[in-house]
Amino acid sequence: DTIQCIELAIKNPANGYRVFNQLTEIFSVSYLANEISKLTGAKISYIDNPRIEKEKHYYKVVHEGLLKLGLKPRYLKEELQIIWNKIQPYKDKVNHSVILPKTNWK
């Protein structure tokens, strides 16, 4: 999607400047974990949030600019199976010791 966004911005120049928020969907880490769990059968482990931000907060970003220029996004839910299939040959190379956070910002 990034290359497509750059191409759309170049092919549709603006007078002056403009800002694009390059995203097409917003979801929580919990949603993503549940989707991956459904796909893979993996168990979800819950850990304390190592960050200062609130667990839930309002986040509404305007992101229609690139869609109006013709962006044809690939949505994560549709791409998860493709991603899963591509990473299978490398699953034995995962270093599990570096997956969980080691820094606590609180």
Side-chain angles (χ1 to χ4, degrees):
D1 286 355
T2 299
I3 299 300
Q4 187 185 168
C5 292
I6 293 168
E7 180 182 23
L8 286 168
I10 291 170
K11 287 183 175 179
N12 297 279
N15 291 332
Y17 73 94
R18 64 184 166 196
V19 175
F20 290 118
N21 290 312
Q22 186 193 338
L23 61 112
T24 51
E25 56 189 337
I26 299 170
F27 45 81
S28 67
V29 171
S30 295
Y31 172 82
L32 180 59
N34 284 314
E35 290 300 312
I36 291 172
S37 178
K38 285 191 281 187
L39 174 68
T40 65
K43 181 179 176 271
I44 298 173
S45 296
Y46 296 90
I47 63 169
D48 288 334
N49 184 351
R51 301 182 67 152
I52 296 170
E53 292 89 356
K54 295 179 182 176
E55 289 290 325
K56 294 182 179 183
H57 58 85
Y58 178 74
Y59 182 69
K60 174 107 172 118
V61 63
V62 177
H63 57 90
E64 291 90 22
L66 290 161
L67 293 170
K68 288 179 182 176
L69 292 181
L71 175 64
K72 306 239 182 314
R74 298 178 315 176
Y75 294 101
L76 183 66
K77 193 165 185 169
E78 299 162 0
E79 294 289 315
L80 277 178
Q81 184 68 56
I82 295 166
I83 295 167
W84 178 247
N85 292 341
K86 285 185 179 182
I87 65 173
Q88 286 308 296
Y90 310 101
K91 66 184 178 185
D92 294 331
K93 296 183 181 205
V94 174
N95 181 350
H96 294 272
S97 70
V98 300
I99 303 275
L100 291 176
K102 297 195 179 12
T103 302
N104 189 336
W105 290 286
K106 293 181 181 179

